[in-house]
Amino acid sequence: MVKAYLRYEPALTFGVIASPESNVAYDPSGRLLLAAALDRLAAWDLKRGLPSVSFASSSSSPSLAVSCVASSPSTAVSSSVASGHADGSIRLWDAETGACEATLHGHRSAASALRFGPSGSVLASGSKDCDVILWDVVAQAGLFRLRGHRDQVTDLVFLDSGKKLVSCSKDKFIRVWDLETQHCLQIVGGHRSEIWSMDVDPSERFLVSGSADPELRVFRIRQSVDEDEDWSKWDVLKLFGEIPRQSKERVATIRFNKNGSLVACQVAGKTADIYRVLDETEATRKAKRRMHRKKEKASAKSMIAEGNGTVIDPLPTQDLHNPTVIVTDVFKLLQVLRASKKICSIAFSPSNPPKGCLATLSLSLNNNMLETYSVDSEKVSKMYSIEMHGHRSDIRSVSLNSEDNLLMSTSHNTVKIWNPSTGDCLRTIDSGYGLCSAFVGNRFALVGTKSGTLEIIDIASGSLTEVIEAHAGSIRSIVPIPDEDGTVGARGFVTGSADHDVKFWEYQLVQKSDDDSKKLTVTNVRTLKMTEDVLALSISPEGKHIAVALLDCNVKVFHMDTLKSYLNLYGHKLPVLCMDISSDGTLIVTGSADKNLKIWGMDFGDCHRSIFAHSDSVMDVKFVYKTHYMFSVGKDRTVKYWDADKFELLLTLEGHHAEVWCLTISSRGDFIVTGSHDRSIRRWDRTEEQLFIEEEKEKRLEETFEADLDNDNEYRYGQKEDAPDEGSVGVPGRKTKDTVTSADAIMDALDTAEEELKRLDQHKLEEQNNGRAAKFLPNLIMQGHSPSDYVLNVVSSIRPSDLEQALLSLPFSDALKLMSYLKNWSLVPSKVELVCRVCLVLLQTHHNQLTTTPSARSLLTGLKDILYCRVKECKDTIGFNLAAMDHLKELLALRSDAPFRDAKAKLMEFRQEQSKRSDRLDGNERRKKKKKASGES
């Protein structure tokens, strides 16, 4: 009989606040800050320091990391959020509910830039594959692809009410695209290094771009065709000047604030320069002062020259009265923001700043933090900081208490206690660099540090009670000593260190002098000297044997009572980094830096099997209690589930984005917890779904073949071998597994419908010949639909973003069959747009064959006559509805004191005023309580 196992699936991810690879942005309302957390996205309430909305995909497959984020403008009809991912896909989310509305596939490499158009209905995306793609957010489909850049596209901005798009790239050029004609209008050079960011002010006066050059380049934007004789005929951007930067590091992000009065330049370091943008009046005044100072200097020089007998030409009078405004007259350095760690991204808040402030600036740091600053003319002050929900560096150890309701994680400077069910952080304790940890009951915890100290933590008070100098080297392992009845940690614990010592410790509870509570302390009772560094320890469940892994790649097993040698396990080619003994004490598994797992018998020390487990070092391994199933984690970012009796791989769990350092399993084996270098802690739950070894093997083979299919293209590594044509336009989508599946579904539907039509014709013929025929039995697959309706349902069920690529995969014979149904489909009012899309793609793809095929001519003639009429009817309907909406807008504007278009903004203002009023009331109540308490005292 085939053995079945229970499947483990990802259940919860926590510990990551902001990924360093992605940017931050405010949501359309301006109240929440969007920050990517590896493969997830969260909207943070900065005042409360809590995530309000979580954006997570419902698909069970592991998602790739979020590489960029953008939100639709506040003036848009619908509130949308877009996220670009490492595989080039783009996801559209509902900003209020966090639900994924669509997944768009078009880029062949990681998305690097996203920007919504002014109306919010168009989205532009740039990628490492050097292409720019325009997407229709409403139709959830691609519009066209713009080719021309020769390196990664780093930023995008819209101009002229969304009619033009400006893109910058690491190829040192800025390109201006006309979206109506879909061609490149202008190529702007001048930067001497890669351009990393740019932005345009809201009034579209200036565009500022930044690179590794020591200055920012400022361009004037052409407002009209007849603006100036100095402009070239087709130029949109013209260099205005250069602003010297304060830092020598390259520019990372440039952003204007909501009203365009400030521009921030964040570098790839710890600083961000904030410039004040003066309006025309202030800039002219500053230029006059500059010319006045220049005149004074010139007059002083002329007086000196007259004394020497020489003559200097005076300044022209026109320059004094009408001075030419230069870039330094408009842009003035206001403040330099200095953060504690390297800044990854910045974003100005679109909402109104607090009273007395010019703007609110939020930034993400590379140590997993979010900070918000208020900017005024005198200083930059920190307002909010979000840091409690994650470690500042990677997770080095995780451990569960005996009841599995507390989780402890250690990092380079803190220990955190979590609720493993919800992912909430309960305690944060400052500590040393913790490499290993263990619970002592539910009140205390032990942490072994890199400096060799042993730290004792009181969990209830969240304090470090004692620090013991336990070892001269780093403590690599802490293992509780079980009793003979199986009670873990009741007798004491053992530590192993790089100073070649294995020390045995006992617990002692000492009465505190200040209160009735007791304090835990430990005493060293025995020491086992080894010849090499101790890397890992493991104790048998009954406490009879202790296994010690040494730096010389060997594992030595000793008797616990006499400390005499029992077994010597050798065979690994590199040091053993982890090991565990099964709960029945019959097996011991060792994981090594040689990527192998070895399963040994504890009776004779014989190696049962050596398994090539991971593609990199095995970092931790644990048995599930009362079974011979085990989990292993490694530097290859995977978690693997094994059967140690059959030596079979049961399941591979993917989800981490960096090396997985540590692992712990609940006492019942119903969930496991892993910690990684990506700072995330992930919980994997056991489900009731069964899995079979053979099915999993077939699934892994299929995934391997599909991965090879996906990678079989010339754009696999980003930059293309052949440079694209100047300003060329291409198809927006790309071929994926979904598009291939959709094309197969269309072809199957066409074949089924064709067979059904043949059966209908044959039935009619029999009825005519015999006068009477048997009752016609329709095909059950078609679910009672006619052949035309059945094919229409299949085509309609394909996602709009996949439809074009699915149609491109159809052979000409099937395309001709599909076109024969279009005339009937066009009679359905709701399907006219779909019919036009299908017809347009098929005509563009098979134009030459259609024009030379006689049977297609009558088909095309019939489509030409009916499609024009149907599209005109839809156009008239939409025009009528728009006119009715305009009429309603005018009526509502007459009845209200505020214009209809500003209703949403007014509503947000009212909500902000109410929140401020409630904050003031809460503050007054707190002050009254304090006064009352002080008066009573």
Side-chain angles (χ1 to χ4, degrees):
M1 184 176 178
V2 179
K3 187 173 182 180
Y5 305 86
L6 293 180
R7 185 180 298 276
Y8 284 79
E9 290 185 351
L12 186 64
T13 304
F14 53 96
V16 181
I17 300 171
S19 302
E21 295 83 10
S22 177
N23 64 309
V24 293
Y26 276 87
D27 74 329
S29 67
R31 296 182 295 106
L32 306 176
L33 183 66
L34 300 168
L38 301 178
D39 53 351
R40 298 177 300 111
L41 194 63
W44 292 86
D45 188 329
L46 298 174
K47 289 184 179 180
R48 296 189 301 150
L50 297 173
S52 293
V53 184
S54 181
F55 303 84
S57 176
S58 58
S59 62
S60 59
S61 59
S63 300
L64 292 168
V66 178
S67 54
C68 51
V69 181
S71 63
S72 60
S74 58
T75 56
V77 177
S78 60
S79 300
S80 300
V81 172
S83 62
H85 295 260
D87 62 345
S89 63
I90 294 164
R91 290 180 178 172
L92 298 176
W93 310 83
D94 188 292
E96 296 178 357
T97 62
C100 183
E101 295 179 337
T103 302
L104 309 173
H105 296 281
H107 292 292
R108 298 173 178 86
S109 296
S112 55
L114 289 174
R115 189 77 68 128
F116 277 92
S119 63
S121 60
V122 176
L123 174 69
S125 63
S127 168
K128 290 184 178 180
D129 63 5
C130 317
D131 291 346
V132 178
I133 299 180
L134 272 295
W135 305 91
D136 187 338
V137 177
V138 179
Q140 299 176 0
L143 296 174
F144 49 86
R145 182 190 301 263
L146 300 172
R147 292 189 173 126
H149 285 293
R150 286 166 171 77
D151 209 333
Q152 173 185 333
V153 179
T154 53
D155 213 344
L156 301 162
V157 291
F158 282 91
L159 296 177
D160 194 12
S161 302
K163 296 178 182 178
K164 296 181 179 64
L165 179 72
V166 184
S167 60
C168 65
S169 168
K170 292 169 72 173
D171 62 5
K172 308 177 187 178
F173 290 103
I174 297 174
R175 285 178 175 265
V176 184
W177 308 85
D178 190 324
L179 301 183
E180 293 179 342
T181 59
Q182 300 177 14
H183 77 283
C184 184
L185 286 175
Q186 185 183 2
I187 302 175
V188 182
H191 281 283
R192 300 183 294 278
S193 58
E194 299 169 340
I195 306 173
W196 287 95
S197 184
M198 65 177 177
D199 200 16
V200 62
D201 67 320
S203 60
E204 295 188 4
R205 291 192 303 154
F206 305 109
L207 183 141
V208 182
S209 61
S211 63
D213 300 343
E215 61 276 327
L216 299 174
R217 292 176 70 86
V218 182
F219 298 90
R220 287 175 57 201
I221 301 172
R222 193 173 195 169
Q223 303 295 331
S224 62
V225 179
D226 303 324
E227 183 176 343
D228 198 335
E229 295 179 357
D230 296 338
W231 289 82
S232 177
K233 183 178 180 181
W234 301 109
D235 283 356
V236 179
L237 302 177
K238 182 179 179 182
L239 182 63
F240 184 41
E242 296 178 345
I243 310 171
R245 296 196 292 115
Q246 303 296 309
S247 175
K248 294 182 180 179
E249 295 170 317
R250 70 165 180 86
V251 172
T253 312
I254 295 175
R255 289 294 177 264
F256 279 89
N257 68 335
K258 181 182 179 181
N259 57 12
S261 61
L262 297 177
V263 59
C265 170
Q266 172 237 329
V267 300
K270 297 182 180 181
T271 62
D273 301 335
I274 302 172
Y275 295 87
R276 181 75 179 269
V277 184
L278 305 180
D279 56 20
E280 294 182 2
T281 306
E282 292 174 331
T284 305
R285 193 181 301 121
K286 187 176 179 182
K288 287 181 179 180
R289 289 198 299 268
R290 175 174 52 81
M291 293 303 298
H292 184 68
R293 289 193 299 270
K294 191 174 181 180
K295 179 184 176 183
E296 290 179 349
K297 289 180 181 179
S299 61
K301 286 182 180 180
S302 63
M303 290 178 64
I304 296 171
E306 286 177 1
N308 296 334
T310 58
V311 179
I312 295 179
D313 296 334
L315 290 173
T317 308
Q318 186 179 0
D319 291 347
L320 298 175
H321 295 290
N322 298 313
T324 302
V325 177
I326 59 176
V327 67
T328 53
D329 296 331
V330 180
F331 293 86
K332 173 187 175 183
L333 181 64
L334 183 68
Q335 297 291 345
V336 177
L337 188 153
R338 290 180 173 83
S340 58
K341 293 292 180 179
K342 184 179 177 181
I343 305 173
C344 297
S345 177
I346 60 171
F348 275 108
S349 172
S351 58
N352 296 325
K355 190 175 181 181
C357 298
L358 298 174
T360 304
L361 181 67
S362 295
L363 45 97
S364 63
L365 305 180
N366 73 338
N367 65 341
N368 201 21
M369 282 179 62
L370 292 173
E371 292 183 345
T372 303
Y373 291 82
S374 62
V375 181
D376 55 32
S377 55
E378 297 180 357
K379 62 178 180 178
V380 178
S381 306
K382 185 188 290 187
M383 297 174 62
Y384 313 111
S385 178
I386 299 175
E387 56 183 335
M388 189 186 74
H389 301 273
H391 284 283
R392 305 283 75 77
S393 64
D394 52 343
I395 315 294
R396 295 314 301 255
S397 75
V398 289
S399 56
L400 287 163
N401 68 339
S402 58
E403 297 178 2
D404 298 332
N405 58 3
L406 291 178
L407 173 70
M408 176 168 55
S409 62
T410 65
S411 185
H412 80 293
N413 63 353
T414 56
V415 174
K416 286 185 178 288
I417 309 296
W418 308 83
N419 183 346
S421 300
T422 61
D424 295 333
C425 182
L426 306 176
R427 296 282 188 274
T428 300
I429 305 108
D430 293 333
S431 70
Y433 198 134
L435 297 179
C436 51
S437 59
F439 276 94
V440 182
N442 293 326
R443 282 194 58 191
F444 302 100
L446 302 170
V447 176
T449 65
K450 193 174 184 180
S451 60
T453 60
L454 187 65
E455 298 178 345
I456 302 175
I457 294 171
D458 189 332
I459 297 173
S461 63
S463 61
L464 186 65
T465 59
E466 190 176 0
V467 179
I468 301 169
E469 296 292 336
H471 289 272
S474 57
I475 300 176
R476 303 283 176 78
S477 186
I478 295 178
V479 182
I481 301 174
D483 284 343
E484 293 180 358
D485 59 354
T487 306
V488 178
R491 294 165 52 187
F493 63 97
V494 185
T495 58
S497 170
D499 63 358
H500 305 182
D501 287 348
V502 177
K503 292 189 177 183
F504 296 77
W505 306 79
E506 287 185 353
Y507 304 123
Q508 289 182 355
L509 285 173
V510 180
Q511 192 76 25
K512 286 186 180 180
S513 58
D514 53 349
D515 54 13
D516 296 334
S517 62
K518 292 182 179 181
K519 184 181 80 169
L520 179 71
T521 185
V522 295
T523 306
N524 182 21
V525 292
R526 285 192 298 175
T527 301
L528 176 63
K529 297 284 186 181
M530 307 303 295
T531 58
E532 296 284 344
D533 292 8
V534 179
L535 299 181
L537 296 174
S538 186
I539 299 175
S540 61
E542 296 179 354
K544 292 183 179 180
H545 302 103
I546 179 171
V548 183
L550 302 176
L551 192 62
D552 60 1
C553 311
N554 292 339
V555 176
K556 295 182 182 294
V557 184
F558 300 90
H559 292 282
M560 279 285 288
D561 49 1
T562 61
L563 296 184
K564 288 184 178 180
S565 179
Y566 172 57
L567 294 172
N568 191 10
L569 311 177
Y570 56 90
H572 282 290
K573 297 178 182 178
L574 289 174
V576 175
L577 303 176
C578 55
M579 59 185 173
D580 194 28
I581 299 175
S582 62
S583 56
D584 59 1
T586 59
L587 296 179
I588 178 172
V589 59
T590 56
S592 168
D594 62 8
K595 311 173 188 176
N596 289 330
L597 285 174
K598 287 184 182 292
I599 302 170
W600 317 75
M602 281 293 287
D603 44 5
F604 302 109
D606 56 324
C607 182
H608 292 183
R609 185 64 65 92
S610 181
I611 305 171
F612 184 75
H614 292 266
S615 58
D616 209 330
S617 302
V618 183
M619 299 309 300
D620 206 353
V621 63
K622 290 280 191 304
F623 275 103
V624 179
Y625 185 61
K626 290 187 177 180
T627 68
H628 282 180
Y629 307 147
M630 59 186 184
F631 284 91
S632 65
V633 297
K635 285 186 176 180
D636 60 355
R637 309 180 182 186
T638 60
V639 182
K640 295 193 175 183
Y641 185 31
W642 306 86
D643 186 339
D645 291 331
K646 293 188 174 182
F647 318 116
E648 290 281 0
L649 174 63
L650 304 179
L651 195 61
T652 299
L653 301 173
E654 297 179 347
H656 281 290
H657 296 261
E659 299 92 337
V660 188
W661 295 126
C662 49
L663 160 75
T664 186
I665 304 179
S666 66
S667 57
R668 294 180 297 174
D670 54 343
F671 69 90
I672 69 169
V673 180
T674 55
S676 169
H677 186 74
D678 61 13
R679 300 168 186 165
S680 71
I681 301 172
R682 291 178 182 262
R683 196 188 82 217
W684 317 79
D685 286 357
R686 185 174 62 199
T687 64
E688 296 300 321
E689 181 185 354
Q690 291 184 340
L691 67 91
F692 300 93
I693 295 177
E694 293 301 323
E695 289 182 0
E696 291 301 314
K697 285 182 179 178
E698 291 177 4
K699 192 182 293 184
R700 285 195 289 271
L701 283 173
E702 289 176 3
E703 288 175 355
T704 304
F705 292 142
E706 289 171 355
D708 292 339
L709 177 67
D710 289 343
N711 293 332
D712 187 20
N713 55 66
E714 59 180 334
Y715 309 113
R716 182 179 178 184
Y717 299 108
Q719 192 166 350
K720 307 169 192 173
E721 296 177 2
D722 299 327
D725 297 334
E726 282 296 323
S728 61
V729 180
V731 178
R734 69 179 177 92
K735 193 175 183 179
T736 61
K737 290 180 288 185
D738 294 335
T739 59
V740 174
T741 305
S742 300
D744 291 340
I746 294 174
M747 288 188 280
D748 291 342
L750 289 171
D751 293 340
T752 305
E754 187 178 14
E755 291 176 5
E756 188 72 1
L757 287 172
K758 287 180 180 177
R759 289 180 62 231
L760 280 170
D761 293 340
Q762 186 177 357
H763 182 266
K764 289 179 181 178
L765 186 62
E766 291 177 358
E767 191 174 6
Q768 289 176 359
N769 294 335
N770 302 331
R772 187 177 180 184
K775 185 180 178 181
F776 181 75
L777 297 176
N779 194 340
L780 294 176
I781 298 175
M782 301 179 66
Q783 299 176 353
H785 295 290
S786 66
S788 177
D789 291 343
Y790 175 66
V791 179
L792 177 60
N793 289 337
V794 172
V795 175
S796 301
S797 64
I798 298 172
R799 291 186 302 185
S801 56
D802 296 337
L803 180 60
E804 187 171 5
Q805 285 295 324
L807 294 174
L808 289 173
S809 302
L810 294 178
F812 177 69
S813 58
D814 288 324
L816 204 59
K817 292 178 189 176
L818 188 61
M819 291 188 73
S820 64
Y821 293 104
L822 296 182
K823 187 173 181 180
N824 292 333
W825 295 353
S826 62
L827 300 175
V828 183
S830 61
K831 302 296 180 183
V832 174
E833 184 183 357
L834 176 66
V835 170
C836 290
R837 282 194 66 194
V838 173
C839 184
L840 186 63
V841 173
L842 294 179
L843 281 174
Q844 290 175 340
T845 309
H846 305 286
H847 179 266
N848 293 333
Q849 288 175 292
L850 285 170
T851 52
T852 55
T853 303
S855 60
R857 292 177 184 174
S858 59
L859 189 65
L860 294 175
T861 305
L863 280 174
K864 179 185 175 184
D865 295 336
I866 195 168
L867 273 184
Y868 278 112
C869 298
R870 299 299 296 161
V871 171
K872 188 176 183 304
E873 288 176 9
C874 290
K875 189 176 178 182
D876 293 341
T877 304
I878 293 171
F880 179 82
N881 291 337
L882 284 174
M885 290 175 68
D886 288 337
H887 180 64
L888 287 173
K889 189 190 297 185
E890 291 177 2
L891 290 177
L892 289 170
L894 291 173
R895 296 175 187 174
S896 173
D897 59 342
F900 181 79
R901 63 179 179 275
D902 297 332
K904 189 175 180 180
K906 288 288 183 183
L907 180 62
M908 298 308 300
E909 288 180 9
F910 291 150
R911 286 180 179 175
Q912 288 179 358
E913 288 177 3
Q914 287 177 354
S915 62
K916 289 178 181 177
R917 192 179 298 113
S918 61
D919 292 343
R920 285 197 298 270
L921 291 174
D922 292 342
N924 293 334
E925 288 179 1
R926 285 195 295 269
R927 283 194 292 272
K928 287 179 182 178
K929 287 180 180 178
K930 286 182 181 179
K931 287 180 180 180
K932 187 177 180 181
S934 60
E936 290 176 355
S937 62

